[in-house]
Amino acid sequence: LAKVDKCRKFGARVIIEGAHIGESKEFAESLVENEGLVYVNGYDDPPIIAGAGTIGIEIIDDLPEVDAVVVPVGGAGLIAGISCAIKTLKPECKVYGVEPEFCASYCKALAAGKPVPTEVTPTLADGLAVPVVGPRAFEIARHYVDECVTTTEKMISLAVLRLIENEKMVVEGGGATGLAALLPGGALDRPELKGENILFFCLLFVRDTLVGWKT
């Protein structure tokens, strides 16, 4: 609601349609045809992916000692751009993706070798509930991302709580998935990552920020 309110204050026409982003996308495409608009895919449009790549450049510029980067995965545009930039500038840096197990569309695409429809179950990480990853984003990410793991609703909830307690940040579920995978018992709670300089992305309900984390 905060995002919608801010967009409307800037004069944007906000239409809420569909049970998940896939249905919203279909509706948006109908507006393109009916109203002569231009559709910009928020996770698969080339300039969008390139824009995400500038984040990767900034990470290496500001944190050259980084050993691993953990990125939430929805449509795969964010991790596609970031991983491409990071692997180009620092190939030894690991890039991990994390998506909710209730909508693991990127992992399913990897298994199939191409983007395929994924069943969407209501999840706390609703911002990542994309039923089919972007084809352009997938083709980029599959070459640069070291691994993609999933996380449970319980771990996402715990990550949201930990960020409130320790960082005083109110974070949306999708943004907390990176931390969820790193917490004790999470998919990335691994010996080889102990003591490493890890950066995970944390998406707040108002703005995006980067949070450093050293295990």
Side-chain angles (χ1 to χ4, degrees):
L1 293 177
K3 291 180 179 178
V4 170
D5 182 60
K6 289 182 179 296
C7 286
R8 285 176 172 155
K9 285 182 178 178
F10 278 107
R13 173 189 173 194
V14 179
I15 302 173
I16 301 175
E17 184 73 30
H20 51 70
I21 194 169
E23 293 182 359
S24 300
K25 179 176 179 290
E26 291 177 1
F27 181 78
E29 289 173 339
S30 72
L31 292 179
V32 170
E33 181 178 348
N34 297 330
E35 300 184 18
L37 303 177
V38 175
Y39 179 70
V40 178
N41 190 304
Y43 53 83
D44 203 47
D45 196 67
I48 295 292
I49 298 173
T54 66
I55 301 174
I57 295 172
E58 187 173 347
I59 289 172
I60 301 302
D61 283 346
D62 292 350
L63 299 169
E65 70 277 15
V66 66
D67 298 305
V69 176
V70 181
V71 185
V73 179
L78 181 65
I79 197 169
I82 290 173
S83 63
C84 178
I86 287 178
K87 289 296 187 178
T88 299
L89 297 173
K90 189 177 181 181
E92 67 273 22
C93 180
K94 298 292 186 181
V95 179
Y96 297 97
V98 184
E99 57 185 353
E101 64 178 9
F102 281 180
C103 186
S105 55
Y106 183 77
C107 288
K108 190 170 182 178
L110 285 175
K114 62 180 180 180
V116 291
T118 304
E119 181 180 356
V120 178
T121 301
T123 171
L124 181 61
D126 56 341
L128 304 180
V130 181
V132 183
V133 296
R136 295 187 186 92
F138 176 72
E139 282 302 318
I140 297 170
R142 68 189 303 187
H143 294 294
Y144 296 107
V145 177
D146 291 283
E147 184 181 357
C148 187
V149 300
T150 61
T151 187
T152 65
E153 295 298 297
K154 178 181 178 180
M155 295 304 291
I156 295 172
S157 300
L158 185 59
V160 171
L161 178 61
R162 290 290 178 267
L163 287 166
I164 292 174
E165 292 176 337
N166 299 329
E167 303 296 337
K168 311 306 178 191
M169 296 190 301
V170 179
V171 179
E172 62 182 75
T177 57
L179 176 58
L182 291 165
L183 289 175
L188 294 178
D189 179 25
R190 302 172 178 175
E192 65 267 25
L193 291 177
K194 301 297 183 182
E196 296 291 283
N197 295 307
I198 302 173
L199 184 146
F200 68 91
F201 280 75
C202 185
L203 311 177
L204 282 78
F205 72 95
V206 176
R207 62 185 176 86
D208 294 351
T209 188
L210 300 178
V211 179
W213 182 273
K214 187 169 184 177
T215 57

